[in-house]
Amino acid sequence: MAKERKGIEVSLAISEAVCQADVDVVSAYPITPQTHIVEHLSELVADGHLDAEFVPVESEHSAMSVCVGSSAVGARSFTSTSSQGLALMAEIFFITSSLRLPVVMALANRSLSGPLSIWNDHTDTMMVRDAGWIHVFVDNGQEAYDHIFWAFRVAEDKGVRLPVAVNLDGFIMTHMIEPIDFEDTELIKKYLPPHRMEGALHPDNPLSMGCFAMPEMYTETQAARDHALLNSYPVCLKAWDEWAALTGRKYLPIETYRTEDAEYCIVTMGSFGETAMNAIDELRAEGEKVGGIRIRLWRPFPFDDFFRAAAGKKYLIVLDRAISFGGPGGPVALEVRNALYKKTKAPTVVDYVAGLAGRDVAVNDFKKIILEGKAKAEKGKTKGYTLYGLRSS
Amino acid sequence: MEKFSVFSSRLVEKAEFFTSGHRACQGCAEALAVRHVLKALGRDTIVAMSTGCMEIISSPLPTTAWKVPWIHVAFENSSAVASGCESGMKAMMRKGKIPKKKINFVGMGGDGATADIGMGQLSGALERGHDMIYVCYDNEAYMNTGIQRSSETPWGASTTTSPAGRKSIGQHTQKKDMPKIAVAHHIPYVATACSSFPFDLMEKVKKASEIEGPAYVHVMSVCPTGWRIPTEEAIKYGRLIVDSCVFPLFEVVNGKYSMTYKPEKILPVAEYIKGQGRFRHLTPQMIEEIQEHTTREYEKILKMCEEG
Ligand SMILES: Cc1ncc(C[n+]2csc(CCOP(=O)(O)OP(=O)(O)O)c2C)c(N)n1
Ligand code: SF4
């Protein structure tokens, strides 16, 4: 493919990226709102644009199992899912990272049943937050396209060897038609060298993968796993830097918007970030000293970058898109509070949960949340969380 | 070399790919079956294995009993993992990323992994037509979790979740017919085998590896612990289950059934049942019922073989 700008549905752009990444195996099981991604990949394979094995499995549990098998023999492997599909594959999702297999998945975020809902929030991805994968959140179609290459690049790095989930908001992003800059496949080849995996399963070099561990071994295996995930951080940065050098599009683990002189900030993850920017602009025009912080890299969590972004701010209003039931509120706010705990001059954290299962959160809602949150912080009302827009009757 | 069985054991592969030092119970015929299967497959083999006895006894970190590349992922998915290995290798070989080579891709699981929790995944893998072999080691229980009933546990057997009691006969359902379920997928090769008939077993596994497309081999694997028999009698009970026609040895090539072994003299099932602790509570009338069921099922298979 040559360099060009195209108006295209984001799901299809992701499939085109997977095609340009020259994957060897795609395993596929349909679930809304991820379906268009694997559908288009099946077309790309059927028409000969992508030379890969397209494995139309009978469930998501198998989708991940096939990727584990194909990745274990050294093949570049991709799958995609959402919601119930992720829940069904969760068992294997954990094992993929324990086996240190560089599988890449596009995770079109969607609520979990029940009640059944096909719309977007972050409940599904929060379920696997602690599974040992690298998690990145993209905000628009261009970022989604770019991050497929980035994900393979990081996953397959010899010093990393971990699976990567590219999280994108279901419908809000997957079904949007956006102008996207496609890169030349030659450039992609430069950025993403062919995958050569050491220690892949092959009869010439027999080894055992996925052995069982007695209590005297298990702890060490988990320490190694955490170590690997934490150590992937510099590789994530390097892969972003090199992408920027080649394309001019620069990404950071924590991104900020009008924060320099901000007194307080709204913290978001995923596509909320873009709407938040509009709200920030309007509030700024009204004299509010507000800025925005976007978490792009969720795992490994970029603590230092976050401290830097939050330094000197009075309040942080965190906008979550999932609830940790019976717990402290939203998972992102929980993370942020934890990160700031015992820091001197830590900003006060206010937690809002909004946009569950696709409920619209428009610019005006953002403005309301920001101002209300600020008022709560000023009054010290920071306990628990607020479910924004909850109808009482 | 049409048939292994007419040659002597000296012709069997000497190399061991499932080595000693594993932690199976004494007299485990399932471990023996794994060893025989690997001898038939040879070194150019990749095995994906389900959670279960054979995984636990052979892979405690940092040791391994496997001399061929081996992967364990979870309980129900060895079929899907093996199909992934096959797909990955196929793509890479086609694209010239690695040299071409004939490799056997094998999924292995116990009867629980195969007939219960992994049934959907096995069905999917067989239906998709991967060039792979699936081997089920059937010891008629979930042995790794401690002798629970599975859908392969025979009628009347007492297990920890189908105990015989004042109001229970033990397992009250018949064995699920896995080989026939595999045949229903229109795959080129299906066979039953038993480690008490090692040449027949190896011959079938070899055939399965030579045929292109999915193959299913159901191996009766006597478990002294679960059947409550003396450890040294596993081989004997393997012969008894076959010679009493409770577990006939046959193969199905492209849908055509044929017997690969006919007992010279069919033994009464009472011979086979006698001495097994799991059947200790059976009354003569219940044994008679098992006899009737066995004869009926065996005749059905014979008829299918005649019809080809
Ligand atoms: C999803 C899941 N459920 C349950 C288990 C527990 N489990 C591990 S092995 C096993 C039984 C295995 O039985 P079978 O497949 O018949 O093999 P065997 O051990 O008898 O050789 C069970 C129930 C598990 N590991 N994973
Ligand atoms: S319980 Fe049975 S199948 Fe498992 S290792 Fe012991 S003898 Fe073998």
Side-chain angles (χ1 to χ4, degrees):
Chain A
M1 186 185 288
K3 190 177 172 74
E4 69 172 311
R5 170 171 284 206
K6 269 200 275 199
I8 188 169
E9 189 185 303
V10 173
S11 289
L12 308 197
I14 288 175
S15 321
E16 295 283 344
V18 172
C19 179
Q20 284 185 287
D22 189 28
V23 301
D24 301 309
V25 174
V26 175
S27 67
Y29 197 78
I31 184 168
T32 306
Q34 161 280 139
T35 329
H36 292 183
I37 298 174
V38 291
E39 274 177 359
H40 189 50
L41 273 164
S42 76
E43 285 169 356
L44 290 168
V45 173
D47 290 336
H49 298 298
L50 171 60
D51 186 359
E53 286 297 303
F54 186 85
V55 191
V57 287
E58 80 300 330
S59 78
E60 287 87 354
H61 198 285
S62 288
M64 189 44 70
S65 302
V66 163
C67 279
V68 167
S70 57
S71 186
V73 298
R76 188 171 279 168
S77 308
F78 176 85
T79 190
S80 179
T81 197
S82 292
S83 180
Q84 304 306 118
L86 184 66
L88 185 57
M89 70 166 62
E91 186 197 17
I92 311 307
F93 202 87
F94 276 76
I95 296 173
T96 314
S97 60
S98 82
L99 295 179
R100 306 283 301 273
L101 296 172
V103 173
V104 168
M105 113 128 40
L107 185 47
N109 301 139
R110 165 183 152 183
S111 60
L112 274 176
S113 275
L116 178 66
S117 160
I118 57 168
W119 311 101
N120 163 257
D121 64 35
H122 291 170
T123 315
D124 58 359
T125 185
M126 288 306 158
M127 167 178 59
V128 295
R129 180 189 61 184
D130 301 327
W133 283 51
I134 293 171
H135 281 275
V136 68
F137 280 77
V138 297
D139 283 21
N140 59 42
Q142 186 68 56
E143 295 185 6
Y145 171 80
D146 292 357
H147 278 84
I148 293 297
F149 309 114
W150 176 87
F152 277 114
R153 176 64 196 267
V154 172
E156 292 168 2
D157 188 284
K158 278 193 182 57
V160 176
R161 272 282 295 272
L162 281 171
V164 179
V166 178
N167 288 273
L168 71 158
D169 285 325
F171 288 111
I172 298 170
M173 281 183 54
T174 52
H175 287 55
M176 238 5 100
I177 294 174
E178 293 186 23
I180 291 174
D181 283 324
F182 282 79
E183 293 301 332
D184 198 292
T185 303
E186 286 310 307
L187 177 140
I188 301 299
K189 277 189 189 149
K190 223 186 290 165
Y191 180 71
L192 185 62
H195 178 38
R196 295 259 176 277
M197 192 168 89
E198 274 172 29
L201 292 180
H202 194 283
D204 293 350
N205 176 33
L207 52 86
S208 298
M209 242 187 229
C211 299
F212 105 94
M214 294 291 280
E216 51 275 15
M217 288 292 271
Y218 187 84
T219 307
E220 286 66 27
T221 63
Q222 301 312 292
R225 193 167 166 180
D226 194 35
H227 199 66
L229 189 52
L230 293 171
N231 280 350
S232 70
Y233 175 77
V235 181
C236 293
L237 290 193
K238 189 159 173 264
W240 273 321
D241 285 346
E242 283 183 28
W243 184 253
L246 287 172
T247 67
R249 291 191 294 276
K250 173 88 182 133
Y251 299 105
L252 292 167
I254 296 288
E255 287 178 3
T256 53
Y257 184 68
R258 302 184 78 167
T259 50
E260 300 78 37
D261 62 335
E263 282 173 6
Y264 65 108
C265 289
I266 173 132
V267 181
T268 59
M269 203 159 76
S271 63
F272 266 163
E274 302 237 316
T275 327
M277 294 201 294
N278 292 322
I280 290 165
D281 287 344
E282 289 188 18
L283 286 172
R284 281 269 175 178
E286 292 163 22
E288 287 293 329
K289 286 206 155 180
V290 61
I293 298 178
R294 274 204 261 169
I295 299 170
R296 173 180 305 289
L297 189 64
W298 176 229
R299 283 293 180 277
F301 191 80
F303 288 100
D304 291 338
D305 304 79
F306 189 82
F307 295 144
R308 241 174 278 130
K313 312 292 174 242
K314 277 197 203 153
Y315 324 118
L316 296 179
I317 299 145
V318 181
L319 195 48
D320 258 296
R321 218 160 194 174
I323 305 175
S324 169
F325 297 112
V332 180
L334 167 66
E335 196 85 352
V336 165
R337 282 201 182 106
N338 168 63
L340 297 170
Y341 184 65
K342 289 214 167 153
K343 287 267 161 193
T344 45
K345 288 199 208 149
T348 304
V349 176
V350 189
D351 183 9
Y352 270 78
V353 175
L356 292 183
R359 188 174 292 183
D360 210 16
V361 190
V363 176
N364 268 340
D365 299 308
F366 270 87
K367 287 171 72 178
K368 265 195 215 157
I369 289 169
I370 291 170
L371 294 176
E372 224 183 83
K374 181 185 166 204
K376 273 186 199 264
E378 278 165 352
K379 285 192 212 131
K381 286 190 172 173
T382 57
K383 247 178 112 182
Y385 69 102
T386 309
L387 204 46
Y388 175 78
L390 180 67
R391 288 199 305 270
S392 50
S393 60
Chain B
M1 275 226 209
E2 273 286 302
K3 279 195 172 282
F4 261 108
S5 46
V6 299
F7 289 88
S8 71
S9 55
R10 272 178 291 137
L11 290 175
V12 172
E13 169 71 68
K14 280 210 175 57
E16 297 292 350
F17 302 103
F18 187 68
T19 63
S20 57
H22 59 68
R23 285 126 166 105
C25 310
Q26 279 188 27
C28 174
E30 192 160 316
L32 185 64
V34 174
R35 183 171 154 229
H36 286 151
V37 166
L38 289 182
K39 274 179 184 285
L41 290 170
R43 80 178 57 246
D44 287 336
T45 298
I46 296 180
V47 175
M49 172 152 260
S50 296
T51 315
C53 272
M54 291 305 106
E55 170 255 335
I56 294 293
I57 59 116
S58 65
S59 78
L61 275 173
T63 67
T64 180
W66 299 84
K67 279 201 173 174
V68 291
W70 176 90
I71 180 168
H72 158 254
V73 182
F75 185 19
E76 61 289 75
N77 65 351
S78 65
S79 54
V81 175
S83 72
C85 294
E86 186 253 6
S87 302
M89 281 282 191
K90 195 166 154 188
M92 288 192 298
M93 285 183 193
R94 184 175 64 231
K95 292 162 96 169
K97 291 187 178 178
I98 54 168
K100 286 205 163 105
K101 180 172 190 158
K102 155 89 178 145
I103 297 172
N104 302 310
F105 297 96
V106 189
M108 292 183 179
D111 49 283
T114 306
D116 296 340
I117 197 169
M119 182 76 180
Q121 303 211 355
L122 174 61
S123 177
L126 296 181
E127 170 268 327
R128 289 194 300 271
H130 299 276
D131 189 9
M132 62 177 265
I133 308 163
Y134 187 88
V135 185
C136 168
Y137 299 106
D138 182 3
N139 56 26
E140 308 194 323
Y142 294 115
M143 284 312 303
N144 184 49
T145 33
I147 334 184
Q148 291 84 31
R149 59 84 71 190
S150 84
S151 60
E152 291 296 330
T153 302
W155 186 85
S158 182
T159 73
T160 58
T161 52
S162 65
R166 254 182 297 157
K167 296 198 167 181
S168 162
I169 58 155
Q171 173 92 339
H172 58 81
T173 54
Q174 297 290 351
K175 254 176 103 76
K176 191 187 271 185
D177 209 333
M178 269 315 295
K180 286 198 197 118
I181 291 171
V183 172
H185 287 76
H186 307 292
I187 58 175
Y189 191 75
V190 174
T192 61
C194 175
S195 47
S196 298
F197 296 78
F199 301 116
D200 177 78
L201 167 73
M202 286 188 264
E203 193 183 305
K204 284 168 175 167
V205 172
K206 198 147 184 59
K207 231 181 195 176
S209 75
E210 279 158 6
I211 282 174
E212 211 177 300
Y216 177 85
V217 184
H218 195 101
V219 184
M220 179 47 63
S221 307
V222 178
C223 164
T225 311
W227 294 21
R228 305 203 186 283
I229 54 171
T231 50
E232 68 277 16
E233 292 193 350
I235 304 300
K236 182 180 110 182
Y237 274 92
R239 296 203 75 91
L240 286 174
I241 195 171
V242 173
D243 281 336
S244 60
C245 298
V246 172
F247 188 84
L249 299 181
F250 61 89
E251 66 180 10
V252 190
V253 182
N254 294 320
K256 283 196 170 158
Y257 280 76
S258 58
M259 272 315 177
T260 54
Y261 171 85
K262 275 191 192 163
E264 272 169 35
K265 179 170 167 285
I266 294 177
L267 300 177
V269 292
E271 279 290 298
Y272 156 68
I273 284 168
K274 198 171 63 188
Q276 289 191 51
R278 59 178 182 158
F279 291 132
R280 189 187 299 135
H281 59 287
L282 296 188
T283 61
Q285 197 211 329
M286 285 160 81
I287 295 175
E288 190 44 43
E289 277 183 48
I290 296 175
Q291 181 65 65
E292 280 166 22
H293 176 78
T294 302
T295 309
R296 208 167 41 238
E297 290 301 310
Y298 185 59
E299 276 166 7
K300 270 195 223 162
I301 297 255
L302 280 181
K303 195 152 173 268
M304 286 201 274
C305 292
E306 276 162 27
E307 285 163 4

